[in-house]
Amino acid sequence: NNLNNTISVYFNAENNHSINIKNLLGQTVLSRTNISNTNIETTFNVSNIENGVYFIELTSGNKIGVKKIVLLK
């Protein structure tokens, strides 16, 4: 949502999990760890991050999912 400089992430996972937002160099720019709920909505404040391409990485147990996002403010 560009009006308030946030990104909302929705997912369903069974184990403890974490979410990382990484830049093109693979550096973590934002992170949430040790999330233990199964149906999750988490919000990241991206007001201090530059426009560009980023990857949202969700880790749950031994599984990893990645989605590409383009941040334009």
Side-chain angles (χ1 to χ4, degrees), residues 23-36:
N23 62 20
L24 286 173
L25 299 175
Q27 300 165 324
T28 300
V29 294
L30 292 171
S31 181
R32 297 274 191 281
T33 58
N34 298 322
I35 303 168
S36 59

Side-chain angles (χ1 to χ4, degrees), residues 35-51:
I35 303 168
S36 59
N37 297 339
T38 55
N39 294 311
I40 304 297
E41 174 188 354
T42 188
T43 303
F44 290 92
N45 180 344
V46 294
S47 61
N48 294 327
I49 298 177
E50 297 295 323
N51 290 344

